Amino acid sequence: LFPSTYFCFAKALSMSSAGTERWERTMSGNLFKYAPGGANVGFVSGKFPSRKVVVHVGGLTDGLLPLPYTAAMGEVLERNGWALVQPLLSSSHLGYGISSLQKDADEIDLLLSYLARKWDWDADKDKSDDTSVVIVGHSTGCQDAVWHNKHGRERERVTGLVLQGPVSDRDYAETVPQAVEDAYPDALMPKEADYCGIGAPMTAYRYNSLVGRLGDDDMFSNDLTEAELAQALGHVQVPCLLAFSHDDEYVPANVDKEALGRRIAAAMPRG
C-alpha cells in the first residue's frame, strides 16, 4: 500500500499546476465536526467511509484547501480508493502563535478517534490490519506529523508519513527571546515577533518553539548535528516520504536541500 500511496502523492504534485491561478481550488465532499472545539471541523473527499485515509495537515496560516496540489491529490487518491481528510486545527489560519505541537497532536488524535468510531475501523478485528492512515504534512505540518508519531495517543493507527516541504523556522527567523519564554511562557509577544509578517498573536513559548535552537519545532534545521537530528526524528518507525519544495522561499539560499534531505532520512530508523 505504501508505494502506491506515495505514487499517488507524486502524481498529484505533477498535476498541481493545472489551475489558471495559484490560489484557485475547487473540491467536493462533506464537512463534519470531529470534536466540540470551535476550530475542530474537517473536510472529507474521495471514497468514504474508508479504511484507507490520507490526513492532510498544512503549515502556518493554512486551513482547508491549503496548497495548489491539494485538489489534484484528492482526485488521484479517489481514483485509487482512498479518502482525503483535511482537518482544521486550533493552530490553523492565525492560531499558530498561541498553539503548540502537542495541542495539534491532541486534535489529530480526536480526528482519528472520530473517524475510527464513525467508519467502524475497530468493529471487525479481522480487517483492522487493512486500515491505512497516512499523514501528509506540509511545512510546519511536517513537525505535526513527526510529533504525533511520538506523542499522539492514536499514533498506532498511522501507517505512513509524507513530509512535503520540511523547513526550519529557526533558519528562517533570527532572534529568540529565551529569557521571556522561561519567565512568561504564555505571555503574548509584540506583533513584530510574528516573522510571517501578518501580526498573528504569538506566545513566548510558541515563538521559542519555532525559532529557538532545539525548540519543539526545531527538527529540520541545517546546523543540527546527526545526534540532534536522531533525537528529533529517530522515533519515526513508519515508512516516510521526504518531498522538498523545489523553490521554497522559506529555505535560505545557502542550504543544500539534497544534502539536508539525506541527513534527515538517515536520522530515521528506516533511512
Side-chain angles (χ1 to χ4, degrees):
L1 284 178
F2 300 119
S4 64
T5 308
Y6 297 150
F7 170 78
C8 289
F9 179 73
K11 180 69 173 178
L13 286 177
S14 70
M15 295 167 56
S16 63
S17 60
T20 57
E21 297 286 351
R22 182 174 175 82
W23 52 264
E24 271 190 58
R25 293 147 211 177
T26 302
M27 296 187 74
S28 298
N30 285 0
L31 278 172
F32 62 93
K33 284 281 290 180
Y34 64 88
N40 299 142
V41 172
F43 178 78
V44 59
S45 59
K47 182 183 182 300
F48 60 91
S50 177
R51 289 181 176 273
K52 296 190 292 184
V53 178
V54 164
V55 177
H56 190 23
V57 181
L60 303 186
T61 75
D62 285 336
L64 301 179
L65 293 172
L67 296 157
Y69 64 75
T70 301
M73 179 168 63
E75 292 175 11
V76 176
L77 288 170
E78 182 174 11
R79 288 200 295 269
N80 286 271
W82 286 67
L84 175 63
V85 175
Q86 303 173 55
L88 284 179
L89 307 173
S90 296
S91 62
S92 299
H93 300 303
L94 299 187
Y96 59 88
I98 52 176
S99 191
S100 67
L101 293 178
Q102 187 57 52
K103 188 170 185 180
D104 286 351
D106 291 342
E107 293 182 345
I108 292 172
D109 283 335
L110 292 173
L111 172 69
L112 295 180
S113 295
Y114 173 87
L115 295 176
R117 177 169 52 85
K118 285 293 184 179
W119 293 355
D120 294 327
W121 286 351
D122 301 325
D124 188 343
K125 296 300 182 182
D126 293 334
K127 293 184 178 180
S128 60
D129 290 341
D130 295 335
T131 303
S132 296
V133 177
V134 176
I135 297 180
V136 174
H138 165 74
S139 192
T140 308
C142 296
Q143 283 106 279
D144 278 336
V146 171
W147 187 272
H148 181 269
N149 193 252
K150 184 175 184 178
H151 300 284
R153 294 186 307 278
E154 301 288 330
R155 63 183 180 275
E156 296 299 325
R157 296 189 185 277
V158 178
T159 53
L161 304 178
V162 173
L163 307 182
Q164 193 281 306
V167 298
S168 166
D169 293 276
R170 180 166 63 82
D171 282 347
Y172 180 67
E174 295 180 352
T175 59
V176 185
Q178 180 66 55
V180 176
E181 196 244 331
D182 288 343
Y184 307 104
D186 295 325
L188 289 178
M189 299 293 293
K191 66 179 182 179
E192 290 79 11
D194 177 21
Y195 56 88
C196 292
I198 56 178
M202 184 171 296
T203 63
Y205 158 75
R206 182 60 166 170
Y207 187 78
N208 189 60
S209 176
L210 287 165
V211 304
R213 195 174 198 286
L214 300 181
D216 288 345
D217 280 272
D218 193 16
M219 302 178 187
F220 310 114
S221 293
N222 193 47
D223 67 348
L224 292 180
T225 67
E226 269 62 29
E228 289 166 343
L229 284 170
Q231 181 180 355
L233 303 167
H235 63 275
V236 178
Q237 301 284 343
V238 298
C240 179
L241 172 69
L242 287 173
F244 280 86
S245 298
H246 175 69
D247 217 5
D248 198 321
E249 67 271 30
Y250 295 109
V251 178
N254 66 323
V255 173
D256 184 337
K257 288 185 290 188
E258 184 176 345
L260 179 59
R262 287 196 294 267
R263 294 177 63 228
I264 289 173
M268 301 180 192
R270 289 175 175 257

